[in-house]
Amino acid sequence: FVKVYKHSSVFKLLEILINIATFQAIVSIIFLLVPSIAELYRSFVVLDVFTLQEIDKLSQYRLLGIGDMRYATAAVNYGFMIWAILLLRHNKYGLLGKVNWYSITIITLFSLAGILSGRTFIIVFLLTIPYVYFLKGCVFKDAVKELFLTFFPVLVMGSVVFIYLFTNNEQLVSWAFELFINMGDNGQMESESTNQLKDMYILPTTIDTWLFGDGR
């Protein structure tokens, strides 16, 4: 890295990671909008039958990128990349840090890709508020201004894209708003995936497991 770039720094590394994430997001969206391209890609990937069936089912309404960039992993990655862009904007570094419309466009892309990858992205998105607050030296006025100038265009552009996607994909609507649909149906804010996640965790019953761990 140091040999390739004359002026290597953490900011430069973040810029490269953002570019990689941008490529991944664009490819993932193409896979969603043009399923035939996604099928062509997956024909070159060795997958077991169960995984392939799951991917075929989920790819109808969720973003599935190249490699293991999917589900919550992708959602968290896109969230962290938004934080990286905000840091570059704060330090006026590179194209992303200096050209406002470009950075907002990429943040919009990552926001859409994050939400369509996993609902975990909502948590990361909410954590962005205190992140910006600390980035602005804990000055409330500056933090509110940065959040408004950055994310108001994101909400507007994102809403337009979502409306387009929702009108053409009923499964996407059911998945994206599953928590609220279940809340209306049975009074409990839950989803299939969150219930599965809760069932995966078993509290240890012995002191040895708590202190040392025994794989249980």
Side-chain angles (χ1 to χ4, degrees):
F1 176 70
V2 175
K3 289 179 180 179
V4 171
Y5 298 97
K6 293 181 180 179
H7 304 288
S8 57
S9 65
V10 173
F11 292 153
K12 184 63 182 177
L13 179 60
L14 289 177
E15 192 176 57
I16 294 170
L17 293 175
I18 291 167
N19 291 336
I20 294 171
T22 301
F23 173 77
Q24 180 72 264
I26 292 172
V27 169
S28 300
I29 291 173
I30 291 173
F31 282 178
L32 177 67
L33 298 178
V34 189
S36 59
I37 296 178
E39 291 174 7
L40 177 63
Y41 162 72
R42 284 195 285 273
S43 68
F44 295 100
V45 182
V46 178
L47 296 169
D48 61 84
V49 177
F50 175 76
T51 303
L52 189 58
Q53 289 175 343
E54 283 294 302
I55 288 176
D56 286 339
K57 180 178 71 174
L58 295 173
S59 62
Q60 297 176 29
Y61 56 90
R62 293 180 69 174
L63 289 190
L64 299 173
I66 298 172
D68 285 331
M69 273 295 293
R70 53 180 181 261
Y71 314 140
T73 303
V76 172
N77 178 72
Y78 290 126
F80 284 164
M81 289 300 99
I82 289 176
W83 289 12
I85 295 173
L86 292 172
L87 183 62
L88 296 185
R89 281 167 57 92
H90 180 70
N91 290 276
K92 305 294 182 184
Y93 181 88
L95 194 64
L96 284 163
K98 297 175 182 177
V99 182
N100 196 46
W101 68 266
Y102 179 60
S103 61
I104 288 176
T105 300
I106 301 301
I107 289 175
T108 303
L109 175 66
F110 287 169
S111 298
L112 289 170
I115 293 171
L116 292 174
S117 295
R119 287 165 295 200
T120 312
F121 180 80
I122 297 173
I123 299 172
V124 183
F125 196 80
L126 292 174
L127 290 174
T128 302
I129 297 173
Y131 171 75
V132 172
Y133 178 70
F134 285 110
L135 201 62
K136 290 297 179 181
C138 297
V139 179
F140 180 78
K141 183 179 179 181
D142 292 345
V144 171
K145 181 180 179 182
E146 177 68 15
L147 286 167
F148 179 79
L149 292 177
T150 303
F151 290 103
F152 181 73
V154 171
L155 290 174
V156 172
M157 290 189 288
S159 298
V160 172
V161 175
F162 260 105
I163 290 172
Y164 170 77
L165 291 174
F166 286 157
T167 54
N168 291 278
N169 195 327
E170 187 177 339
Q171 285 181 297
L172 176 59
V173 178
S174 301
W175 174 75
F177 296 102
E178 184 183 0
L179 290 170
F180 305 102
I181 292 172
N182 289 338
M183 183 70 176
D185 291 343
N186 54 35
Q188 294 183 331
M189 186 171 282
E190 61 182 11
S191 68
E192 182 181 354
S193 59
T194 53
N195 289 339
Q196 290 175 348
L197 187 63
K198 285 188 293 184
D199 293 339
M200 287 169 62
Y201 289 95
I202 302 172
L203 288 176
T205 56
T206 66
I207 297 297
D208 288 344
T209 308
W210 278 108
L211 294 179
F212 308 108
D214 53 15
R216 295 181 182 178

